[in-house]
Amino acid sequence: MPTDAHAAIPSYEKDFAQFDFMEHGSLDTFDHLGAYRALGPIYTVHFRGEPWVCIGGLEANAMAWRNPDLWDYESALTPFREIMGDRHVTQMDGVPHRQKRRQLKPGFSMSSIGRLIPAIDAVVKRMLGESANKEVSLHDLFMRSLTYANSETVLRAPLSETEVQTFIRFEEEFIVGTIMESSARKAFYERESFVKDKAFVFGYLGQLVQRRLDGEQVEDNFSEVLKLTLEDRGEEVDLQELVSEAYLLLMAGTGNTAKLLNCGLQRVWKDRPWLEALREEVESYQPLSFARGMDAFPKLKATLMEIERMFPAAPVLARVVAQPMEFEGRKLEPGTKVLHMQTLTHFLEEIYEDPYDFKPQRWLENNYPKKAHGTFGGSTHICLGMNLARIHMPIVLANMLKDYAFEATKSPEIQVNFNYGVPQVSDLSGRLVSISRGQ
């Protein structure tokens, strides 16, 4: 989209930052909050060599989620097509997308995941127990725990420790590549180590899917997903489409959930009064405690909401306009690249008082607008793994807070941000100590 097509829209560089984008074309961080205050909910920015339109605030979230058919998701999420194929759920719009979401629903609905809570809890307990009184990276521990939990529940896939590490390495490098410029991403994905991991991951899942197609009976969520996909697609379905569905159940979102837990726990452990209140609340936790929701654990629920608010794993989403549209009186033509700052609302003090302070109590005292919470997106393209993350996180936190203390040896300072391509990263390391053995 030519720059002059955006002439009527305020410019981040000219109208706010007062510099020429030609001199700062590689800029990776922006003061989006300041620009929103100065320019309003829509403005342009030059990002990675191209003109983009930024939209943010409650108005932007309402507009972006109200009509998902305004957006061309396939063009916006090219890296997923490059790795997962053109039948991946992120590559679909309109009716095909809604059909694919229906096929995937048995894998990710709260009811289908909720019945697996005892099994997920057992894996988490086992992994924490094996790590007790050892020096651990919590990010690594969470990634391994969540991968094992998925491999024993939603997609039954027997994985060795080496295989788990390969899946984790592939997932993390795949996601890192998705935020790169196309030529850099191509080189990154062509590295020998990544190609080798990709071949193993797809080979393993390809064999698993083929066994299911050949009649192997396994009771897991993937079996229900596979049944619906075959009913809808029949002979048109190809192996890669089914492999990408299996991959979603096994790995999608594990890295983001691990990062959320890492960042959140650092803040929880620093707030001793809130920590003690949480420990008192989860003392009664049992695996089936969450089967009926989290009403019995209001402080834990508030903590999770505050973690989601402060440390969104995908602060900004790239979009491409699919059909002529208008926002705040500004016309956007098809092909316009848009950065939807869906979590900018998380840091607006008119919505959340003292937004950069970790205050779980705020969720006990206030009812916030639904469209102010953008961690998982919204509408028909809302994050597919949201329910899984909202089962995993309370189970991990309840078990950790109830049974363990943590002696940190590496506790990096977390920088709250909402820039595109700058996910929250926190490698919190230390010793997990069983409370029953004394602190």
Side-chain angles (χ1 to χ4, degrees), residues 88-369:
H88 191 264
V89 65
T90 61
Q91 297 305 295
M92 300 180 184
D93 300 298
V95 173
H97 176 261
R98 290 188 279 275
Q99 181 185 50
K100 176 56 71 176
R101 295 282 296 213
R102 188 186 72 82
Q103 294 165 2
L104 291 168
K105 185 177 180 179
F108 294 97
S109 69
M110 187 57 80
S111 59
S112 63
I113 298 170
R115 62 185 172 80
L116 302 172
I117 287 176
I120 295 171
D121 179 83
V123 175
V124 170
K125 277 187 168 64
R126 184 183 79 223
M127 298 298 293
L128 292 176
E130 291 175 358
S131 300
N133 302 302
K134 299 177 183 177
E135 182 81 12
V136 296
S137 157
L138 284 188
H139 182 267
D140 178 63
L141 173 58
F142 294 148
M143 282 291 288
R144 291 171 58 243
S145 298
L146 299 180
T147 303
Y148 273 119
N150 288 345
S151 74
E152 295 180 29
T153 58
V154 290
L155 173 70
R156 291 187 177 274
L159 294 172
S160 68
E161 178 65 23
T162 299
E163 290 169 338
V164 165
Q165 293 289 3
T166 302
F167 269 90
I168 290 172
R169 187 169 58 246
F170 173 76
E171 166 69 5
E172 298 219 291
E173 293 194 349
F174 165 46
I175 296 302
V176 167
T178 62
I179 63 175
M180 293 180 177
E181 180 272 329
S182 58
S183 60
R185 182 175 68 248
K186 183 175 185 293
F188 187 74
Y189 284 159
E190 288 179 350
R191 289 174 303 122
E192 182 179 357
S193 59
F194 183 80
V195 171
K196 181 179 178 181
D197 285 347
K198 177 184 174 183
F200 170 79
V201 165
F202 286 168
Y204 180 97
L205 292 177
Q207 292 175 15
L208 181 149
V209 170
Q210 191 60 59
R211 290 196 300 272
R212 302 289 182 94
L213 291 174
D214 290 341
E216 182 181 52
Q217 299 296 311
V218 180
E219 291 188 11
D220 62 9
N221 290 12
F222 179 63
S223 292
E224 297 302 313
V225 170
L226 180 61
K227 178 182 176 181
L228 278 182
T229 303
L230 293 176
E231 286 178 357
D232 285 349
R233 301 274 294 153
E235 295 181 359
E236 293 182 11
V237 72
D238 60 28
L239 190 63
Q240 180 57 45
E241 179 177 351
L242 300 175
V243 165
S244 72
E245 292 181 346
Y247 186 86
L248 279 170
L249 282 163
L250 185 62
M251 296 304 300
T254 51
N256 288 342
T257 303
K259 290 180 174 67
L260 282 166
L261 287 166
N262 259 302
C263 295
L265 277 167
Q266 290 192 53
R267 296 301 173 95
V268 169
W269 280 324
K270 288 180 179 179
D271 187 343
R272 296 299 299 185
W274 186 254
L275 173 62
E276 294 309 317
L278 275 176
R279 281 183 169 154
E280 182 178 351
E281 183 177 88
V282 301
E283 188 62 35
S284 63
Y285 168 76
Q286 296 295 329
L288 290 176
S289 296
F290 298 146
R292 294 176 297 277
M294 295 190 65
D295 289 346
F297 301 89
K299 293 184 178 67
L300 182 60
K301 182 178 180 180
T303 302
L304 292 167
M305 293 302 293
E306 187 70 344
I307 291 172
E308 289 180 9
R309 183 192 70 82
M310 281 197 72
F311 308 111
V316 177
L317 288 183
R319 299 179 181 273
V320 175
V321 175
Q323 53 186 279
M325 58 180 286
E326 186 173 304
F327 176 60
E328 294 293 303
R330 313 291 186 176
K331 294 182 178 180
L332 301 178
E333 297 299 328
T336 301
K337 293 188 175 183
V338 173
L339 294 178
H340 177 202
M341 301 177 292
Q342 60 184 16
T343 62
L344 184 140
T345 49
H346 294 196
F347 304 98
L348 296 178
E349 59 267 22
E350 59 265 37
I351 300 175
Y352 302 102
E353 185 180 5
D354 301 320
Y356 284 91
D357 292 344
F358 185 75
K359 291 183 176 181
Q361 300 91 334
R362 72 174 83 238
W363 295 93
L364 301 175
E365 302 163 355
N366 299 283
N367 291 315
Y368 296 108

Side-chain angles (χ1 to χ4, degrees), residues 29-92:
T29 58
F30 305 91
D31 179 10
H32 284 303
L33 189 58
Y36 173 83
R37 294 290 189 208
L39 307 177
I42 179 169
Y43 52 89
T44 64
V45 72
H46 208 78
F47 178 63
R48 294 180 181 165
E50 296 180 291
W52 293 70
V53 173
C54 296
I55 60 172
L58 286 174
E59 312 95 328
N61 288 356
M63 184 276 293
W65 297 335
R66 183 168 53 245
N67 185 0
D69 291 342
L70 289 173
W71 308 106
D72 173 1
Y73 288 89
E74 177 183 348
S75 298
L77 299 168
T78 301
F80 287 86
R81 180 168 65 256
E82 294 170 350
I83 299 298
M84 295 293 170
D86 59 7
R87 288 294 303 175
H88 191 264
V89 65
T90 61
Q91 297 305 295
M92 300 180 184

Side-chain angles (χ1 to χ4, degrees), residues 377-428:
S379 189
T380 57
H381 284 262
I382 196 168
C383 175
L384 193 62
M386 178 180 69
N387 292 333
L388 198 55
R390 286 183 165 173
I391 289 292
H392 283 158
M393 287 177 62
I395 289 175
V396 171
L397 283 177
N399 277 288
M400 288 198 72
L401 297 173
K402 180 181 179 181
D403 297 327
Y404 298 94
F406 189 72
E407 299 172 353
T409 55
K410 179 184 177 184
S411 183
E413 184 65 26
I414 304 169
Q415 299 297 320
V416 176
N417 71 74
F418 44 87
N419 282 303
Y420 177 66
V422 190
Q424 304 291 354
V425 176
S426 171
D427 188 10
L428 181 60

